[in-house]
Amino acid sequence: MKNWSQYAFNTIERHIRSQISKRGQSAENCRANLWNAGLEALSSYSRVSGCCDLDSYVEYNMDQCMDLLRKERNERLSLESSLSLDAPYLDSRESFVERLRGRVGDCSNFVALWDFAARLGPRKNRVLHQMDHGMEPQEIMDANHMTLEEYQALLTELQSDFLFWLSI
């Protein structure tokens, strides 16, 4: 093995501290991998010298190493974690994230819609929430002790209520 200089040691250590503080990684998780990346950069620098200075080359190799570690960790966690939004929803091929209704962005229409639904009264509001959560019509009728005729009448009222809401 080559005799590494104090300068090389300090260069690698400085970049390790920089990576750990910049990426928020714990020292135990990545120190050994970053040392390997730094040593590899030092040993291979002679093949690429002239493209950039040694510090930039070491930093680039360590950045690549951290990106790979983060990618591997994210893949492992998303496959194993019970809290992952990419995990299958129940026994379907659909993921949890696909089941989520909300999207990032303007939510004012969403809030206005549910505010309007709340003003329709507790029964209509409850039925709308049950429909939004994917309950089947028979489940909704059973949960609310409704007959088919009552349920159809409620749906007709909801339809006219929402036509009124759209006209506002």
Side-chain angles (χ1 to χ4, degrees), residues 16-80:
I16 287 174
R17 283 192 302 276
S18 167
Q19 286 291 333
I20 291 171
S21 67
K22 179 170 52 172
R23 307 277 178 128
Q25 297 286 329
S26 67
E28 295 81 28
N29 285 346
C30 59
R31 182 172 287 282
N33 288 308
L34 287 174
W35 260 103
N36 286 338
L39 293 174
E40 175 62 31
L42 289 174
S43 64
S44 64
Y45 181 68
S46 61
R47 293 189 298 251
V48 295
S49 62
C51 74
C52 55
D53 60 67
L54 177 62
D55 279 352
S56 298
Y57 186 67
V58 169
E59 187 174 3
Y60 173 78
N61 273 9
M62 290 180 154
D63 281 343
Q64 295 299 310
C65 176
M66 286 300 291
D67 289 344
L68 180 63
L69 288 173
R70 186 179 67 247
K71 181 178 182 277
E72 289 171 353
R73 179 181 177 273
N74 287 345
E75 287 173 354
R76 185 180 70 247
L77 288 178
S78 69
L79 294 176
E80 297 172 1

Side-chain angles (χ1 to χ4, degrees), residues 82-99:
S82 61
L83 302 176
S84 171
L85 293 178
D86 292 324
Y89 179 74
L90 300 177
D91 292 331
S92 69
R93 291 187 299 182
E94 187 177 31
S95 70
F96 278 102
V97 75
E98 291 169 343
R99 294 285 297 184

Side-chain angles (χ1 to χ4, degrees), residues 7 11 27 42 55 70 79 99 104 118-120 134 137 150 155:
Y7 173 77
T11 299
L42 289 174
D55 279 352
R70 186 179 67 247
L79 294 176
R99 294 285 297 184
V104 175
R119 294 169 192 264
L120 294 176
E150 291 173 323
L155 290 179

